[in-house]
Amino acid sequence: MAFVADLHCHSCHSDGTLGVADLFALAASRGVRLIALTDHDELSGLFAARQSATQHQIQMVSGVEISAAWAGKSVHIVGLRLNESHPALVGALRRAREERLVRAEAMDAAFVAAGIDGALKGARAYAPNPALISRTHFARYLVDRGVCGAVSEVFSRFMKPGKPGYVPHDWMPMASAIELIHAAGGRAVLAHPARFDVDATAGPEALIKAFADAGGDGLEVVCAAHKPPEWARYGALVRKYGLLASVGSDFHSPTESRVKFGDLPFLSPSLTPVWHDWPEAKALHA
Ligand code: AMP
Ligand code: MN
Ligand code: MN
Ligand code: MN
């Protein structure tokens, strides 16, 4: 019997709006049986996640979504079922968060130059974890202030490459993110492949090939960024490159997220799920 798995979601330890307890209560109420909390560059929610998973009797594996770079573009690598105390991983993510704070200061200055002051101060008010400032926090503040009507509009008008509030950032190389995840005993999954702006460089298949060549383990085939044509397209690439398949809603917020927990379809039985040999998944079949 298939079960509902969701291996990509965010709490307010990064740029989600819900605390871990509320996030997992919602996931459980929507029928999710296997979950991974994958906050951006941050592991601090995992302790509470484990407690909530036990409380709701759902299976949980540790997770993180690492901000990385490939061919000059930003890519996101989800690490799953890893040792969240591994020193190299912990240290690299701490540095990534510190660099985010430096980028946030530069974004603040860029917004001032665009005639908008107080953006960082405002963003901080939307970031319950002061160590993790994301573009999403800036976006929520600017919507609340009435500068834009929606978070997505803030991104398209101000925070995409070439826009006035955008500050390029030198994230760790994709291969380093994969290496860190493996060092911590986890599996590396390329998140939402259709969302990356890589067509202008060498196309999504070149990214997936580079990811597989660097030792990456899996690809999100079913996710909020994909529709049926992408399930087929990325399913075929998973088979071509001998990868595992993953499922993730990338849930951030009940009001902002397009896909609700539990609403994504099951993976095609022709694909090997990233959880195929995990005890947490086997427990659900027992
Ligand atoms: P950051 O990691 O701080 O650069 O911010 C990236 C985050 O911004 C992503 O994880 C998404 O949650 C969010 N994001 C990126 N693009 C958009 C968009 N067009 N609309 C809404 N949210 C976006
Ligand atoms: Mn996010
Ligand atoms: Mn992402
Ligand atoms: Mn995400």
Side-chain angles (χ1 to χ4, degrees):
M1 256 278 283
F3 52 82
V4 177
D6 194 325
L7 301 179
H8 186 158
C9 62
H10 298 272
S11 75
C12 66
H13 288 254
S14 68
D15 63 349
T17 59
L18 299 182
V20 173
D22 289 343
L23 183 73
F24 275 35
L26 179 62
S29 76
R30 304 261 325 155
V32 175
R33 309 288 314 284
L34 173 67
I35 193 166
L37 176 69
T38 56
D39 276 314
H40 297 284
D41 306 318
E42 178 61 284
L43 303 161
S44 61
L46 293 174
F47 183 77
R50 203 158 273 118
Q51 288 182 318
S52 291
T54 304
Q55 187 191 338
H56 294 288
Q57 296 180 296
I58 57 179
Q59 295 291 326
M60 172 237 164
V61 295
S62 57
V64 67
E65 183 174 15
I66 301 183
S67 310
W70 176 75
K73 302 281 184 177
S74 143
V75 294
H76 287 174
I77 310 299
V78 165
L80 295 173
R81 204 170 185 277
L82 38 73
N83 168 11
E84 69 247 41
S85 305
H86 190 273
L89 178 70
V90 168
L93 296 182
R94 189 191 311 114
R95 284 190 294 281
R97 293 193 297 274
E98 287 164 1
E99 288 168 12
R100 279 179 171 277
L101 298 179
V102 174
R103 180 188 67 157
E105 300 277 0
M107 285 175 64
D108 189 60
F111 275 112
V112 168
I116 297 166
D117 61 2
L120 177 55
K121 187 165 179 281
R124 282 189 188 284
Y126 282 80
N129 174 6
L132 195 295
I133 304 290
S134 155
R135 280 185 289 165
T136 317
H137 300 121
F138 281 85
R140 290 187 184 129
Y141 166 65
L142 292 174
V143 169
D144 191 44
R145 191 165 137 178
V147 174
C148 293
V151 162
S152 55
E153 188 191 333
V154 185
F155 276 89
S156 54
R157 277 179 56 195
F158 291 102
M159 294 198 303
K160 288 197 167 163
K163 301 294 176 181
Y166 181 76
V167 173
H169 188 75
D170 196 12
W171 302 110
M172 72 173 80
M174 177 169 74
S176 303
I178 295 169
E179 207 174 297
L180 282 169
I181 291 164
H182 286 170
R187 281 195 177 138
V189 170
L190 181 64
H192 43 64
R195 265 194 49 195
F196 298 124
D197 174 28
V198 292
D199 286 314
T201 52
E205 186 164 351
L207 165 61
I208 289 161
K209 183 176 185 315
F211 175 79
D213 287 347
D217 303 287
L219 213 61
E220 276 181 7
V221 172
V222 170
C223 65
H226 293 178
K227 293 198 165 54
E230 283 86 29
W231 305 338
R233 180 182 189 189
Y234 292 101
L237 289 168
V238 157
R239 282 189 290 268
K240 178 170 176 183
Y241 290 99
L243 296 166
L244 302 169
S246 193
V247 178
S249 63
D250 203 3
F251 185 86
H252 281 74
S253 152
T255 52
E256 292 166 16
S257 293
R258 273 171 298 156
V259 169
K260 289 189 177 139
F261 274 124
D263 273 1
L264 289 171
F266 292 125
L267 282 176
S268 157
S270 66
L271 301 171
T272 306
V274 66
W275 58 80
H276 70 100
D277 57 352
W278 290 351
E280 293 82 1
K282 288 184 178 153
L284 291 168
H285 288 302

